[in-house]
């Protein structure tokens, strides 16, 4: 009896192609320009604001020029607004309880908005992260208006860079626009997950007296962006494993006490591999993202490195545990009358009957039919063998396009 085996998960070298390098280079450029200027001016303490502005460049992967411009502009508003809210809370010397409540409300409101807008990466995580992180450090910033302007200017730069890059490599003009991933009651349930996870994680953090309540809340939000309960659990576990790896990288970087300029250069450099691996090797990406986060926090509000490393590890464990628990307990199918979420809930009957082959960059394998969300699919291809070579084909096409440009 013939048997079939599941396609092997590609190695890191196979999965990372020129397709991934494009957004990574785009995000890196968006931080490198303002970052180097701040280093030259001796204002490394402001780099954290540029970092959050540069997260704008992470949005709009594989989208048309018009849609990327729209989505990155919307992401910029969310990120700059979150940074502004964090600055306001810090300047008001809000208590930790107020911080937890404010971040919870922000997440509950931002989640359905980001769903409705169809932003990718999904969910309000980067806004939540920016809000909490800035609220913890902005109280020592002597010029909050300048800090907010740096964040906004960096976000605008990233929007411009993203649009120019998308025009250069424009997609098929007849390709459909990417539709929102979550809608209706599914979106409301997701907002409830965020509110529940963040409030519980923040509350536990307050009771235990953790040093960085924002890290606990961010850790709880991370698993929730995944599409299914199983994926959310995996995401939470990857969060813990990746953070452990990141702490091992951070220790030799931070403990020797490098100069602010050296630390700032390291932060800029770490953003490139963070974005490079984020979509397909999340745990590995955190190996770079964790030292970036801790280092930029150290520049903004210096503290004992060992204390920060310990806080980061404990906060991640607490947050991920809460996020996973909420993901398991609050299910879409548990709501009466609520349909189970699919990867592409807005597909038509014609799409459902499609028997062509595609390559899913989320599941790292060839799939028959439009079973996965549009933004995760490459294709169509005439057969399975061709679909399995999707990354290789795209790499060759990119090289050919570059040769024509030259």
């Amino acid at each position: 009896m013939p048997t079939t085996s599941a396609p092997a998960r590609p190695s890191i070298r196979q999965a990372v192609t020129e397709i991934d390098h494009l957004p990574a280079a785009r995000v890196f450029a968006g931080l490198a320009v303002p970052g180097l200027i701040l280093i030259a001016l001796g204002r490394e303490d402001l780099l954290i604001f540029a970092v959050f502005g540069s997260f704008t460049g992470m949005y709009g992967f594989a989208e048309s020029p018009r849609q990327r411009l729209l989505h990155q502009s919307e992401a910029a508003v969310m990120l700059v607004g979150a940074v502004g809210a964090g600055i306001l809370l810090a300047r008001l010397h809000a208590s930790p309880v107020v911080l937890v409540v404010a971040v919870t409300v922000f997440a509950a409101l931002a989640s359905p908005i980001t769903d409705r807008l169809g932003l990718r990466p999904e969910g309000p995580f980067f806004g939540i992260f920016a809000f909490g992180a800035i609220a913890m450090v902005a109280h020592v910033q002597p010029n909050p208006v300048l800090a907010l302007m740096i964040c906004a200017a960096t976000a605008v730069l990233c929007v411009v860079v993203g649009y120019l890059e998308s025009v250069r490599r424009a997609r098929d003009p007849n390709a459909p626009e990417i539709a929102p991933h979550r809608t209706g009651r599914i979106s409301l349930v997701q907002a409830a997950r965020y509110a529940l996870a963040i409030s519980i994680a923040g509350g536990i953090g307050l009771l235990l007296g953790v040093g960085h309540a924002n890290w606990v809340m961010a850790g709880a939000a991370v698993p929730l962006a995944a599409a299914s309960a199983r994926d959310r659990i995996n995401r939470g576990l990857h969060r813990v494993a990746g953070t452990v790896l990141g702490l091992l990288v951070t220790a030799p970087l931070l403990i020797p006490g490098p100069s602010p300029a050296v630390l700032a250069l390291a932060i800029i450099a770490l953003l490139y591999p963070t974005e490079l691996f984020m979509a397909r090797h999340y745990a590995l990406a955190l190996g770079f993202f964790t030292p970036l986060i801790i280092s930029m926090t150290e520049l903004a509000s210096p503290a004992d490195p060992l204390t920060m490393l310990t806080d980061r590890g404990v906060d991640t464990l607490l947050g991920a545990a809460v996020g996973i628990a909420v993901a398991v307990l609050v299910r879409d199918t548990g709501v009466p009358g609520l349909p189970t979420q699919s990867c592409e809930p807005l597909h038509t009957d014609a799409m459902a009957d499609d028997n062509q082959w595609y390559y899913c960059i989320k599941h790292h394998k060839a799939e028959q039919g439009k079973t996965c969300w549009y933004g995760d699919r490459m294709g169509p291809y005439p057969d399975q063998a061709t679909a399995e070579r999707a990354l290789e084909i795209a790499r060759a096409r990119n090289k050919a396009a570059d040769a024509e440009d030259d």
Side-chain angles (χ1 to χ4, degrees):
M1 180 178 179
T3 60
T4 58
S5 58
R9 184 181 179 87
S11 67
I12 294 175
R13 184 175 180 180
Q14 290 173 320
V16 178
T17 67
E18 280 85 344
I19 298 173
D20 298 293
H21 285 278
L22 288 174
R26 186 173 68 241
V27 175
F28 172 79
L31 178 60
V33 173
L36 292 175
I37 293 174
L38 291 174
I39 293 173
L41 295 174
R43 292 304 307 272
E44 294 88 355
D45 59 303
L46 291 168
L47 186 61
I48 188 172
F49 298 94
V51 169
F52 283 121
S54 72
F55 288 170
T56 300
M58 295 183 175
Y59 291 82
F61 175 73
E63 294 183 350
S64 67
R66 187 191 72 84
Q67 194 168 37
R68 176 182 289 177
L69 177 62
L70 177 62
H71 282 169
Q72 288 194 339
S73 298
E74 292 164 343
V77 172
M78 176 186 70
L79 289 167
V80 175
V83 168
I87 291 175
L88 178 61
L89 246 62
R91 305 307 289 188
L92 294 175
H93 302 286
S95 67
V97 173
V98 173
L99 172 62
V100 171
V101 173
V103 174
T104 299
V105 172
F106 175 88
L109 295 176
S111 178
I113 293 175
T114 56
D115 286 343
R116 181 67 184 87
L117 296 175
L119 297 184
R120 296 276 291 182
E122 292 179 43
F125 169 74
F126 287 111
I128 294 169
F129 179 31
F131 190 172
I134 295 300
M136 294 291 292
V137 302
H139 63 284
V140 299
Q141 180 51 241
N143 196 332
V145 175
L146 175 61
L148 185 61
M149 289 175 62
I150 288 172
C151 178
T154 304
V156 170
L157 173 63
C158 290
V159 172
V160 173
V161 171
Y163 180 74
L164 293 177
E165 188 271 328
S166 66
V167 170
R168 181 175 178 269
R169 297 179 180 273
R171 299 188 315 161
D172 180 358
N174 297 319
E177 296 294 296
I178 298 176
H181 198 171
R182 292 184 178 91
T183 58
R185 295 180 65 187
I186 293 179
S187 180
L188 295 178
V189 171
Q190 181 71 348
R193 286 194 193 97
Y194 275 109
L196 184 61
I198 290 172
S199 61
I200 293 176
I204 293 175
L206 293 178
L207 290 174
L208 296 180
V210 298
H212 293 79
N214 60 302
W215 287 347
V216 181
M217 293 186 287
V222 164
L224 304 182
S228 66
R230 180 177 180 180
D231 288 340
R232 291 168 194 143
I233 294 172
N234 289 335
R235 187 82 162 182
L237 295 177
H238 288 173
R239 172 76 173 188
V240 174
T243 298
V244 171
L245 174 62
L247 292 176
L248 295 176
V249 175
T250 308
L253 173 64
L254 211 59
I255 292 176
S259 68
V262 170
L263 204 55
L265 288 172
I267 291 169
I268 296 172
L270 286 165
L271 187 59
Y272 184 90
T274 294
E275 175 62 13
L276 184 66
F277 295 111
M278 186 64 75
R280 306 182 191 181
H281 298 279
Y282 182 66
L284 180 59
L286 285 178
F288 302 99
F289 196 42
T290 298
L292 186 158
I293 293 167
I294 298 177
S295 298
M296 72 181 189
T297 304
E298 172 67 14
L299 286 178
S301 181
D304 176 59
L306 290 177
T307 300
M308 292 187 69
L309 292 170
T310 303
D311 287 347
R312 181 67 180 181
V314 173
D315 293 347
T316 296
L317 285 172
L318 289 175
V322 172
I324 291 173
V326 170
V328 171
L329 297 175
V330 183
R331 294 175 174 266
D332 292 334
T333 53
V335 180
L338 184 64
T340 301
Q341 180 181 345
S342 63
C343 289
E344 189 172 12
L346 300 182
H347 67 270
T348 64
D349 291 338
M351 290 181 178
D353 294 336
D354 184 2
N355 289 320
Q356 298 185 86
W357 284 90
Y358 299 84
Y359 184 83
C360 177
I361 61 175
K362 177 179 180 180
H363 298 120
H364 314 288
K365 66 178 182 179
E367 298 176 345
Q368 191 171 24
K370 295 180 178 179
T371 57
C372 282
W373 185 66
Y374 180 87
D376 291 333
R377 292 197 316 266
M378 298 174 64
Y381 300 96
D383 51 52
Q384 181 178 4
T386 306
E388 290 172 347
R389 295 178 51 247
L391 299 177
E392 177 185 344
I393 293 170
R395 187 164 57 242
R397 287 176 178 171
N398 287 340
K399 289 182 178 179
D402 289 340
E404 290 179 4
D405 292 339
D406 296 338

